[in-house]
Amino acid sequence: MITKRERYAGRFENYAERFPHAVDVTMVLSVIGCAVLGTQLSFPGSRPPDSGKPVEVLLALSCLFLLKYRTRPRAVVVVVGLVTVLAIVRGYLITPLLLAPLLVAVYWMAVLCDRRTTRAYTVAIGAVLLTATVCSDTMDGVSVVLRVIGPVFWLALPVAAGRSTRLRRDYLAAVQARAEYAERTRDEEARLRVAEERMRIARELHDVVAHHLALANAQAGTAAHLVRADPGQSERILRDLTGTTSSALRELKATLGLLREDDGPEGEGLEPAPGLARLPELISAYESAGLDVTVTTDGEPRPLSPGTDLTAYRIVQEALTNVSKHASAHTARIRFTYADVRLLITVSNDGPAGDLRATGGYGLMGMRERAHSVGGELRAGPRPGGGFEVTTALPLQSYATAAPEGETP
C-alpha cells in the first residue's frame, strides 16, 4: 500500500523531472534565504560579527554553485563546505540555517554518488567542520560534547535522506527494468509461438500436398497404362483419382483455414485431425495407384493420444508417399508393434534406396520433427537386404500434445 508520504514524493519527483530548472532555482533561492537568515542569529546577549558582508556574499555565491549539483556533486560539496567552515571561523553561530547550503549539497551527493564516495567526502567535511566548531569562539558557552554532537547530527540527516532517495530510485528502476524484461520476454514468446505454428502449418501443407499429388500422379499414370488393356480397371482408378483430388481439396481447406480468421462457429467447416483409424482409406488409395501395401500388428492395440495418433498417421502417409514417388518398388510393408508405453512403426520396401534417400530429404526431415514433437524418435535408411526402411518409436501418450489439424491451438 502506498503511503501519503510516498505519494507526495512521487508527485514531486514527477514535477522535478518535467521542470528541473524551475525546481533548482527555487531550491537555491530558498537555501540563500536560510543562509542569510542564519548569519543574523546569535546567542542571547551577543551580536553577530560586524565583518559579515563579505561572508554573506560568499555564502550566496556558494548557494548559486548548487545549480551544478547534477553534474559536479563532489565539487559542490567541497566549495560549499569550505565557505561554511570560513563562516564558522569568522564567528557565526552554527545553526541548521547556516548549514543549509552544506546540508543540501551533502544530500544531493548521497543521491547521485556511490556509498563509498559519499562516506569519504562526508567524513572529510565533517572532520573540518568539527575542528572549526570546537575552535570557534562563539561556542564558548557550549560544552565540547554538544559542539560535536550538533554538527554530526545535522550532517547525518542529509546522508540518510539521500541514501533513502537513492534506494527508492534504484528500486523503481529495478521494477521498471523487470517490467520491460517481462514485456520483452512475452513478445519474444509470442513470436516464437507464431513461428512454431507456421512451421506446424508448413509441415501439414507439405504432407497434404506431397501425399495427394504423388498419389494422384501414380493413379493417373496407372490409368493411362491400363486404358487400352483393361478399360474397366482404368475407369475404377479414375474414379479413385476423383476421390483423391476431392480429399486433397478438403484437407487443404482445413489446413489453410488456420491462416485466416474464422467468423463462423468454432470448428465449423473444418475436418477432424486424421489418425490411424483412417489407415485403411489411405492404403486403399495407394493400392488403386498400383502399390501393394501389407499391414501387420504385433501386440494388443491401445488408444493413442491425439498428438501421437496424428503423428503416426502422417509418418506412415509420408513414408508411403516417398515409396510411391521415389522408390522403384511395387510393395510396401507396415508393421505396428505395441509395447508397454510405446508404439513402434516400421515402413519398408524392397526397391532401390538410392533415389529415395537422395530426393526424400525434406520428407524425412519433416517426419523426424513430427516424431520429436511428441517425444518420439525416428530412423530412416537402407535395409541390409536391400530397399529402404523408416522406423519410428512414439509414446502412447505424447509428452507435448500436437494441435489437432483444423483447430487453432
Side-chain angles (χ1 to χ4, degrees):
M1 182 177 178
I2 300 177
T3 63
K4 183 179 296 186
R5 175 181 174 275
E6 293 176 344
R7 183 164 57 250
Y8 287 136
R11 291 178 181 176
F12 176 76
E13 290 183 0
N14 292 335
Y15 182 83
E17 291 178 358
R18 294 175 57 190
F19 308 102
H21 297 296
V23 173
D24 291 347
V25 170
T26 303
M27 176 192 69
V28 169
L29 293 178
S30 301
V31 171
I32 290 176
C34 292
V36 172
L37 181 59
T39 59
Q40 306 303 316
L41 299 179
S42 63
F43 282 119
S46 62
R47 297 175 59 187
D50 294 334
S51 59
K53 294 300 180 182
V55 177
E56 292 179 9
V57 173
L58 286 178
L59 280 174
L61 292 177
S62 67
C63 292
L64 292 177
F65 197 63
L66 285 171
L67 293 173
K68 295 290 186 179
Y69 76 89
R70 297 181 187 273
T71 56
R72 306 182 66 180
R74 302 175 185 84
V76 169
V77 169
V78 172
V79 171
V80 175
L82 291 178
V83 173
T84 303
V85 170
L86 176 62
I88 295 173
V89 171
R90 295 300 298 268
Y92 286 95
L93 182 64
I94 302 176
T95 63
L97 293 176
L98 185 68
L99 296 177
L102 179 61
L103 300 183
V104 172
V106 171
Y107 168 81
W108 284 115
M109 183 179 64
V111 172
L112 299 175
C113 298
D114 59 272
R115 187 187 298 271
R116 183 176 181 180
T117 300
T118 302
R119 184 185 302 114
Y121 276 78
T122 303
V123 170
I125 292 295
V128 176
L129 188 64
L130 286 177
T131 302
T133 303
V134 172
C135 299
S136 175
D137 295 337
T138 59
M139 304 292 289
D140 289 340
V142 181
S143 66
V144 176
V145 175
L146 293 179
R147 294 185 188 186
V148 173
I149 292 178
V152 171
F153 174 77
W154 290 114
L155 279 179
L157 284 180
V159 172
R163 295 307 306 172
S164 176
T165 301
R166 182 180 177 88
L167 290 175
R168 182 174 180 274
R169 289 185 175 183
D170 292 343
Y171 171 75
L172 294 178
V175 170
Q176 183 177 0
R178 285 197 298 268
E180 292 176 354
Y181 176 77
E183 183 176 358
R184 185 169 60 253
T185 304
R186 183 168 58 251
D187 293 340
E188 292 176 356
E189 182 179 357
R191 286 194 294 268
L192 179 60
R193 289 182 179 274
V194 170
E196 291 176 349
E197 178 63 13
R198 288 176 178 173
M199 289 297 298
R200 188 188 72 80
I201 295 174
R203 286 199 303 266
E204 294 297 329
L205 287 174
H206 172 272
D207 292 343
V208 171
V209 173
H211 159 64
H212 288 95
L213 286 182
L215 183 57
N217 179 70
Q219 289 174 328
T222 303
H225 179 73
L226 297 175
V227 66
R228 292 185 179 180
D230 191 349
Q233 179 66 14
S234 178
E235 182 179 356
R236 287 192 295 273
I237 293 177
L238 290 176
R239 285 198 298 268
D240 292 338
L241 177 59
T242 302
T244 299
T245 55
S246 298
S247 177
L249 290 175
R250 287 195 303 271
E251 291 203 33
L252 281 174
K253 180 181 178 182
T255 304
L256 293 176
L258 298 175
L259 300 178
R260 65 175 184 269
E261 183 178 0
D262 188 3
D263 295 330
E266 183 178 358
E268 180 180 355
L270 302 180
E271 292 185 348
L276 292 182
R278 291 178 54 180
L279 188 62
E281 177 184 345
L282 179 67
I283 293 174
S284 176
Y286 277 103
E287 287 179 342
S288 68
L291 182 65
D292 185 17
V293 182
T294 59
V295 180
T296 57
T297 302
D298 296 332
E300 182 180 356
R302 270 169 286 176
L304 307 175
S305 67
T308 300
D309 199 18
L310 172 62
T311 300
Y313 177 85
R314 289 304 190 195
I315 288 176
V316 172
Q317 181 188 58
E318 180 64 26
L320 293 179
T321 299
N322 286 340
V323 172
S324 177
K325 289 170 58 178
H326 308 302
S328 302
H330 300 287
T331 61
R333 293 178 296 277
I334 305 174
R335 177 181 294 275
F336 295 97
T337 303
Y338 288 88
D340 293 335
V341 294
R342 284 185 172 266
L343 169 62
L344 182 66
I345 304 174
T346 304
V347 182
S348 59
N349 67 86
D350 296 328
D355 294 340
L356 176 60
R357 183 171 48 191
T359 58
Y362 288 109
L364 296 178
M365 185 184 303
M367 287 191 288
R368 286 194 180 94
E369 289 180 357
R370 283 191 176 276
H372 292 162
S373 68
V374 295
E377 55 186 15
L378 183 139
R379 295 192 304 273
R383 298 175 61 227
F388 199 84
E389 184 175 82
V390 175
T391 303
T392 180
L394 305 175
L396 298 180
Q397 300 295 323
S398 62
Y399 301 151
T401 303
E405 185 179 276
E407 297 181 6
T408 302

